[in-house]
Every structure is written in structure tokens, then in C-alpha cells.
Amino acid sequence: MKLIIKDGIVIDGQGFNEKADILIEDGKIKGIDTRISLNDAVVIDAKGKYVFPGFVDMHTHLRQPGFEEKETIKTGTHAAVAGGYTTVACMPNTNPVIDNEVVVEYIKSIAEKEGYCKVMPIGAMTKGMLGEEISEMAKLKDVGVVALSDDGFPIMNSGLMKRIMTYGSMYDLLMITHCEDKMLSGEGVMNNGIISTKIGLRGIPHEAEEVMLARNIILAKSTGARLHVAHVSTKDSVELIKRAKAEGVNITAEVTPHNLCLTEDIVDGFDTNTKAYPPLRTREDVDALIEGLKDGTIDIIATDHAPHTKDDKKVPYDIAAFGISGIEIAFSVVYTYLVKNGLIELDDLVNYMSIEPSKLLKLSHGFKIGNDADMTIIDLNKEFTVDVDNFKSKGKNSPFNGQKLYGTVEYTIVNGKIKFKNDGNYQENNV
Amino acid sequence: MKMVAALFFNEKKGWFEMIKKDVLGIREMSKEDLIEILDTAGKMKKILVGDKNSDILKGKTVVTIFFEPSTRTRLSFEMAAKYLGAHFGNIETKTSSVVKGESLIDTVRTVEKMKADVIIVRHNMSGAPHLMAKYLDVSVINAGDGLNEHPTQALLDLMTIREKKGFFDGLKVAIVGDIVHSRVARSNIWGLQKLGAEVRLAGPATLLPKTFEKLGAKVYYDIDKAIYGVDVVMGLRIQLERQKNGLFPSKDEFSKYFGITEERMKLAKKDSILMHPGPINRNVELTSKAANATYSVIEEQVTNGVAVRMALLKMLCERRESNEINY
């Protein structure tokens, strides 16, 4: 029951960056050393490859129960391990909504049986995510919900939001907020700006995000709630968060790979795979988001993996579903666009995708003796062309389709078990 | 495989070039494309004002599919097809925001399988014709998509301006009204600028964001300044429900500050012309007096509309034939 990852370059996202061997026993990390040899261990040759602590996604849509045509816990977690993720927190916009213990238990049991990686449900802030009554937060926490969110249904009622934060802070629950003033975004389907003006699509102004973010910051400040800002997309949002952090507000923030790497320009041509909320913004915003990551204003990268069917996207832009399927190429996208271009460091990327999110979810994670053996082995020198038809996810909706990216996930190990191996096939390998 | 673009032999230029199978917007056309279409439209106009009896499109099938109500544009296409001897069909479908695209593509594919050569589509969503063009082999003409483009309207406007003014270079054109919701304005901005004209835009700030300056146009919130010294004044139809959505306070205030009147027309050049895509909200965006004045060319625009549509149908069918497309 022993596994050794041999000769890989181990990066833990916390400053350790050396060639080392990792010994895994009984699903736990048993040793990290320059050279580990055992006669009775299975050896994975990681020579020339990189070994990272498994990625942790704070923002995944697994769609089950209710929208199994878009994704299931099985396919979504398969996609996750194919992308190097070992833990995903799944959003509550299922049907039924994750607003009670039964749905939480259901998701946990399916994940246990069919899942490839660890699944941590996020509970709804309000019953049915209807923005009317607060959910049974204490009960939800007791069955293992790691955070609360009403996801894409921002709570427009400020009084209610304050009550949610006040009540939730009794249980130290992380409040994940999708910041959008629906009255400002209106019927918008893309960033409001030059491209929307050119091609006649209704715009979502950047203020729609900032107005709501500012309100949530003010409420977090007065209630002391742990506020986490989902998918930051604008330059001024970065400024607002920076200021809030300086004032001591209990706030963290995430950014998606697509908002970090793509701009609104690719919407010109009406490709519905570019449609997401928040929308792809401008170069100026992208630059500010990268700076925000580097200076610690933005804490983590989260995928907002949002799989949809082809029919959901094979419609005019106005009525196409919002969302991008991206968990299995998230690392490669950011590595290719940002690390390869010298904009961020590889060690930091591992931190943003693995260590920081694990801290937000209060997990014991990373390369420490005794921790669960959750890791991924990536070949950074290997180039591949994104082909959505090869996605493990049911969602083929990616604007990166056809692009050449670097960094292939070779192995993903969860609890010491190989849950993904890059030969195209999942290996059931009980080590 | 879908043919999105193919090589075509250009008689005049004597070389093979890339021409799209569809007419989706003015923005993707070159200056040469525009001139060629206007020249062809000039020839078509002779048939139109003559015996209206041609067999240029004999054996071709043209179908209009309008997901948005229209009387004039749809009829104009029908006339254009019939004057050139084509078979003609029409589908009118009620649209709603919940219409699923698969059925949208399915609807059009059904028409394609009935052996249509050209379909003409109007849809209330920007990019809907582009979606069809992507998935179908039939040629698609955009008869207005959402807020994006209305290429045949702009072409007929350009044709009318060319007939009346004879040139585009340095010509000053003021487009007035609800710009942000206007596909007519967008198509005209692209077309006029490609041909060398200066475009001024005027309207209330809620209907004319400053961003339009990034498209190369000049933005005015004072209609008098916009009209001053121009060669062409183009009014746009204001949708009265925009007032309910709070985009302007009242019909009265709109017409007082942004309506085109005889007095305001005096600010334009002496030989200026007045255009409007119709139908007119009389005494809202345009006074009756101005609409009926001698400088108004609104009725000629309608005639030229048939001519440019004849031209596009002819050109598209010729392209399809010269490429020997078999479906």
C-alpha cells in the first residue's frame, strides 16, 4: 500500500521548489526527501515533471441533482481530476437547491460512490435561492457545507443580506457572493463597451459588479462576516477589495482563468462559448486582475466551471446560457497565458490554485507529513491542442477550443489513489 | 462540410478572391464591395423602373423568414425577387425570448431542404443570422438582426445619397435619434465611413453613449450643432416603449430637443437632404412639414430599397452558380 513519486520537481506553493521523492502510505503523505527507495512500493516516475499539491476549486458547478444533461458529479469530478484538482466545492444552484441536509447528504453519497475527487457542497444562503428567507445555516454546516452562496442570484435586498451575514457569522460560515446589481446589468449579455457598441449586444456595465461589491463590503464590515467575492472581473472591483483589506474587512476574492486571460474582443463574431457572467472584460481590467493577484488583493483562482449542453449554446447570443466549462484546462490556461509570458510565477500559481483555496475551506492540505496524499503531476513542457470533444466534462462550452496550451496533467492522486492518468483512460488503482 | 467562404473569380479584377456566401453586415464589407453593390443596384433600378420583367433569377428560390414583424422590408425583398423572376416563399414566425435556437436552426434548415437558394432573415436578436449562416449552406441575407445591423437599409441609404449627392468623400451626415438601439444607425456608420463620409450622431445621452466615438463618429447632445452644415440629415424611428423604460422623459421633450423640424433643417447646408428609414412617428422624431418638404427623399429611399435588394439577390445567386455549389 505504498506509492513513491520519484524524481519530480516538487513545488508546494509555499516556497519549496526542489527535486524530491514523495512517499505515500495508507492514503497519507509519509515522507518527502531527496531520495526515497523502498522495495515494496509502487513507483511513479515523475522525472522532468512537476509535482504540485492537488488543486482546490472553490467554484464548481456539478449540476447534479437536477441538470444531469449538463454535468453529473461523476463527469464533473472526472473533469476535475483531469485538470489536476483533488477537491471541488460545488455550487448550490442544483434542482433541488442545496438548501437542506438531504441534498447535502445526497451529493456526498454520490460523490463517495461515483466521484473521482473530494466534493464539498456549498449551501444556499436563502431557501430555494429565492432571496426571501434565510436558509437553515446551522443545520447545513453540521452536515458539512463549507460555505454559503446564492450563486448567480445576488441578494438585491440589502436588509436580507445583512441578516444573512449576521446569522452566518455565528457559525463562521464563508459568504460567497456573486456581485451583480441586476438593475444595472439589465438585459446585458456581454461587457458594456466598444465591442457591445459595435455588434449591438446589450452591455453589462462594470458598475453592476462594483455597486454590489461595495454594498457587500460595507455589510461585511458592520457584521464581521467572512466575505468571499466570487469571480472578480473589473479594475475598480480590485480597488474596492484592496481598500477593504487595508481597512481590515474580513474579505477574500477569487478570479477565473477566463477573466484573467481573455478579453471582450473575442465576443465579436457571436461565439456563444464566450458568454459568461461576469462577462469577459477589457485589457485594462485583465491587467488589473493580474496585478491584484500579484499584490494579494485577489487570493485565489477559481474556475467557475459551468458546463452546459450544446443546445444551451447553439442559440443566438442573447438567449445562450451564461458559463464556461473549464476545470480540466484551468491550470494549462493560466500557465500558458500568464506564467509562460512571465506575468506570474509558477510557485505563486500553485499557491493560488491549491494552498490559498484550501485555507479558505479550512482543509489540511499541501505537502506536509500526515496530510491526505492529494497531488497532481504535470508535464509543463508538453504542448496540446484543446479539443472539447476530449473533455471528460459533459460541458463542451469552452472559448479555448482549438488553442495550443502548455502543461498536461499526467497523474492526479486523491487520498493516495491514482484517480487520473494521462493515457486517456481512468485507472482504478487501489494503492 | 459547410462552405463559409469560397474562392470566386472576379471578372473585373481578374483574380480569385474570397467572398462570403452571405450578406450579414456592412461592417465586414470593403469599400470595393459597397461600390460594386451600388453599381449593380443602379443597373437593377433600370429594370425596376422599366418593365419589371427579368429572368436573371429564373429557377432560383428566395424565401423570407421574419421572426419580427415587418411590412415594408419583407415586401421589398419579395418584390425584388419577383421582378427578377425567382420563386418566392415566405414564413412569418412569432418570436419570443424563450425561442430555443435549435428550433431556430431547424426552421431555417427545413426551408433549405425545400431547395431554397437564398433566405432572408430578420430576427430580434443580434447575431441570429450569423448563427444560421454558420450552420447552413444556403445563402443568408440579414434583413435586420437585433441592434446589430440592417445592411440592406444602409445600402439603400447609400444608394440614395450617391444619387442625390454624387460623392461620399468629405460628405457630412448627421444621424439623429435613438442610436444605441438602432441597427440602421450601426450599418450606416460602417458604410458611410468606409466610403469616406463624416458621421455625426445626435440623441439623448441615454440613447447615445459616448462609446460611439470609438467607432469613429462624432457624438452630439445638441441636435442643432449636429445638423449645422451637414449634407444629409437622417432621422431614426424612436420606439415609444423606450420612454416607459425610462430612457427619455416624454415624447414631447424628445421631439422638442431632438426632433427634426423645418427650422432645424435650415441649419444644414442649403442643398441638404432629409432621410428616414420609415415608418415615421410623425411629429415625434420628424415633423410632418419636414417629412413632406422638397429636401425629403424618404419615398425615393423606398424605391432604391427594391433596387439594392435585387442587386444582392443577383450577386449572391451568381456567386453560388460560379462556385458550382451542389446541395
Side-chain angles (χ1 to χ4, degrees), chain A residues 163-209:
Chain A
R163 290 192 288 280
I164 288 166
M165 287 191 182
T166 306
Y167 192 89
S169 45
M170 278 197 294
Y171 305 105
D172 195 31
L173 279 160
L174 187 68
M175 300 288 165
I176 303 179
T177 55
H178 163 119
C179 296
E180 175 187 8
D181 184 323
K182 291 273 187 190
M183 305 310 282
L184 279 168
S185 48
E187 294 174 314
V189 293
M190 69 169 294
N191 183 48
N192 189 55
I194 301 166
I195 305 297
S196 67
T197 305
K198 275 186 181 171
I199 67 177
L201 285 176
R202 285 180 171 82
I204 300 169
H206 57 92
E207 307 94 273
E209 177 171 312

Side-chain angles (χ1 to χ4, degrees), chain A residues 105 199 244 263 310 338 378 396:
Chain A
E105 294 296 357
I199 67 177
T263 64
K310 285 197 170 167
L338 303 187
I378 295 183
K396 312 299 181 191

Side-chain angles (χ1 to χ4, degrees), chain A residues 4-10 19-21 35 43-51 377-382 410-411:
Chain A
I4 296 173
I5 318 285
K6 223 166 171 39
D7 293 333
I9 299 159
V10 177
K19 202 167 152 197
D21 296 350
R35 196 171 162 77
V43 172
I44 292 176
D45 180 13
K47 199 169 182 196
K49 302 183 181 82
Y50 286 75
V51 188
I377 303 170
I378 295 183
D379 188 340
L380 292 180
N381 299 315
K382 228 190 258 175
E410 298 298 320
Y411 287 90

Side-chain angles (χ1 to χ4, degrees), chain A residues 192-194 196-202 268-272 311-319, chain B residues 27 97 99-102 104-105 125-128 130-131 135 147-148 181 186 190 211-212 214-215:
Chain A
N192 189 55
I194 301 166
S196 67
T197 305
K198 275 186 181 171
I199 67 177
L201 285 176
R202 285 180 171 82
D268 195 351
F270 301 104
D271 177 3
T272 53
D311 285 354
D312 292 333
K313 289 288 192 179
K314 208 169 154 186
V315 292
Y317 208 90
D318 279 338
I319 55 170
Chain B
R27 193 173 151 219
S97 58
V99 166
K100 289 285 178 197
E102 244 341 44
L104 174 71
I105 294 170
M125 294 176 195
S126 302
H130 306 65
L131 180 76
Y135 287 103
L147 315 180
N148 179 34
H181 296 105
R186 282 186 180 77
W190 303 127
T211 341
F212 273 91
K214 301 263 170 64
L215 273 53

Side-chain angles (χ1 to χ4, degrees), chain A residues 79 108 164 332 379 413:
Chain A
K108 279 161 66 181
I164 288 166
S332 316
D379 188 340
I413 295 163

